[in-house]
Amino acid sequence: MLDIALKVLKEITDHSYKAYIVGGFVRDYLLGIKSKDIDITTNATPKQLKEIFLDSCLPNEDYGSVIVEKNGIRFEITTFRKEVLYDDNRRPVEIKYIDDIHTDLLRRDFIINTICMDNEGEIFDLLDGRLDLENKIIRTVGNAFDKFREDVLRILRAIRFATILDFKLDKEIIDAICENKHLLKNLSYQRKKSELDKIFTSPNRNYGIQLLLDLGLDNELEIPDLKKVLDVDITSSIGVWSILNVTNIYPFNKNEMELIEDINKALLLNNTDPMALYKFGLYVNSVAGEIKGKDIKNITESYNNLMIKSKSDINIDSESIMAILDKAPGKYLKDIYNDIEREILYRRLKNEKKEIENYIIKKYYV
Ligand code: ATP
Ligand code: MG
């Protein structure tokens, strides 16, 4: 990944511009963590970048980041900038392209996100980000109070980085969060959700949740049940959202919505029960089991021991049933299927064609 990134940098510097990798990739590289995408900062303008990378795209003209894909890696290339005048505690109203990287670093959120790497792989650490990495601490670039007022999303980013990296929040950050947390109401639920998702999917989630609770953010984020999450050993973000029970205010996609609904239904069932496992599957029952503090091994074992896992596993088809009963298709087929499904699941009927046929004749042939 690094070699490809250095090549991308070189393509820019070969055109006599300055360019550095910055942010998450350098931070994670120094910590020995794998990154997903790479942020590059440069004095080339988006227009100039588009001339260098002909197949690049500019998803957001206002923000001026150019996206380049190389070998399946996504590069977000942003021109050195100064952001002036923030609106709604979130977006700068005006940005000014500049030629100086130091000023660009000053507009960034946290010191650990300002470390740069040049096209030789050399680290440029103008604000001593490595020191914060060593001390495992999140500090803002400049005054925390101003940073959070400018862009309130940074509050959640601070907690997200602290959670994922297992870092402490600087005292100034903690004070500034307490003073500005009410501004979180100005942030869209989509933004809040995507940061919370990153916190909830971290193996270190309980630390992040404790931070949110200690700072009183459960109230501001309208997740009053957050405390409950600490009482259970949960391994998925969807499990956390099921406990939080906020589908009426936070946006969930169709798949998430269905999962949350199913988990809530499965919570009311015995999750080693064959019918519960058959109906909702292993994943949903495991999440529900986790929420209830049940042994997941038992749930998995019960699932593996199911006689059938779906309708297609039943050793008889509709044609055969119609033939035995000498009847045209109709609603009765569904009732019979439900019946034999239940009988097989509870091991009162073998999943063998002959046996099933006999059962159907005995019970349904008139
Ligand atoms: P990751 O990609 O792992 O989520 P990241 O630090 O790379 O973490 P990005 O959202 O990719 O975060 O942003 C890249 C860099 O841009 C950050 O490291 C930071 O320097 C800067 N940045 C991003 N969002 C903000 C923000 N809201 N305020 C100030 N600087 C920001
Ligand atoms: Mg990034």
Side-chain angles (χ1 to χ4, degrees), residues 22-25 27-28 36-37 39 76 83 90 107-110 113-114 151 153-154 157 160-161 198:
V22 68
F25 179 83
R27 180 195 68 220
D28 292 347
K36 287 182 302 299
D37 42 29
D39 304 288
E76 186 163 342
E83 295 173 342
R90 173 69 192 111
R107 62 109 184 153
R108 293 177 182 270
D109 48 7
F110 307 111
N113 288 344
T114 62
D151 179 358
L153 176 70
R154 291 169 183 160
R157 282 175 63 88
R160 189 237 296 185
F161 291 126
K198 289 174 190 160

Side-chain angles (χ1 to χ4, degrees), residues 262-273 275-277 279-280 284-285 288-289 292 294:
D262 284 356
I263 292 164
N264 280 326
K265 284 182 200 154
L267 276 172
L268 305 174
L269 305 172
N270 167 1
N271 303 108
T272 51
D273 176 71
M275 190 50 98
L277 285 162
K279 202 159 169 213
F280 294 110
V284 164
N285 278 289
K292 291 190 284 188
K294 302 283 179 201

Side-chain angles (χ1 to χ4, degrees), residues 102-326:
H102 187 242
T103 312
D104 178 82
L105 296 181
L106 296 181
R107 62 109 184 153
R108 293 177 182 270
D109 48 7
F110 307 111
I111 306 265
I112 55 165
N113 288 344
T114 62
I115 314 171
C116 298
M117 186 188 276
D118 73 3
N119 64 10
E120 306 273 326
E122 193 86 37
I123 298 287
F124 276 84
D125 189 12
L126 295 173
L127 305 183
D128 273 339
R130 272 179 298 193
L131 204 62
D132 283 10
L133 289 184
E134 269 168 41
N135 293 329
K136 294 169 136 286
I137 192 153
I138 315 274
R139 295 188 302 142
T140 47
V141 178
N143 182 295
F145 187 88
D146 293 341
K147 282 283 165 186
F148 293 147
R149 281 195 88 79
E150 282 170 3
D151 179 358
V152 68
L153 176 70
R154 291 169 183 160
I155 290 184
L156 296 182
R157 282 175 63 88
I159 291 165
R160 189 237 296 185
F161 291 126
T163 307
I164 292 175
L165 305 174
D166 198 23
F167 278 24
K168 284 207 163 55
L169 293 175
D170 180 45
K171 168 92 171 63
E172 193 192 314
I173 285 200
I174 292 175
D175 293 343
I177 290 180
C178 291
E179 279 182 69
N180 290 299
K181 59 186 177 187
H182 63 281
L183 298 175
L184 281 167
K185 66 175 178 303
N186 297 340
L187 195 61
S188 75
Y189 285 102
Q190 187 65 56
R191 284 271 171 193
K192 292 189 240 204
K193 174 166 180 289
S194 88
E195 286 302 322
L196 286 172
D197 262 332
K198 289 174 190 160
I199 295 169
F200 295 159
T201 38
S202 165
N204 199 30
R205 81 175 57 77
N206 277 0
Y207 171 60
I209 290 173
Q210 193 61 60
L211 280 178
L212 291 169
L213 289 168
D214 291 346
L215 294 165
L217 298 187
D218 47 338
N219 252 337
E220 306 300 331
L221 296 166
E222 299 162 82
I223 40 176
D225 286 340
L226 189 63
K227 256 194 289 317
K228 291 187 192 162
V229 180
L230 286 181
D231 298 333
V232 291
D233 192 10
I234 226 157
T235 55
S236 68
S237 158
I238 205 73
V240 177
W241 286 115
S242 304
I243 296 176
L244 296 181
N245 206 4
V246 284
T247 46
N248 52 337
I249 48 173
Y250 277 82
F252 293 91
N253 65 35
K254 196 166 162 269
N255 182 39
E256 291 172 323
M257 206 68 181
E258 276 170 15
L259 274 172
I260 293 174
E261 273 169 23
D262 284 356
I263 292 164
N264 280 326
K265 284 182 200 154
L267 276 172
L268 305 174
L269 305 172
N270 167 1
N271 303 108
T272 51
D273 176 71
M275 190 50 98
L277 285 162
Y278 178 81
K279 202 159 169 213
F280 294 110
L282 179 59
Y283 182 70
V284 164
N285 278 289
S286 300
V287 178
E290 267 181 357
I291 294 175
K292 291 190 284 188
K294 302 283 179 201
D295 187 354
I296 300 305
K297 241 177 60 204
N298 283 343
I299 298 177
T300 312
E301 221 166 81
S302 305
Y303 181 78
N304 291 337
N305 288 336
L306 282 184
M307 300 307 289
I308 46 171
K309 295 204 167 68
S310 75
K311 269 214 156 52
S312 61
D313 291 340
I314 301 177
N315 278 327
I316 196 158
D317 53 25
S318 309
E319 276 74 32
S320 313
I321 302 178
M322 290 188 289
I324 308 170
L325 299 179
D326 194 19

Side-chain angles (χ1 to χ4, degrees), residues 328-350:
K331 187 191 158 286
Y332 73 96
L333 278 172
K334 193 168 171 232
D335 296 338
I336 293 180
Y337 258 117
N338 287 344
D339 182 15
I340 49 183
E341 194 174 75
R342 173 171 289 275
E343 292 305 299
I344 295 170
L345 279 168
Y346 289 104
R347 297 168 187 257
R348 295 186 289 255
L349 173 63
K350 280 205 179 115

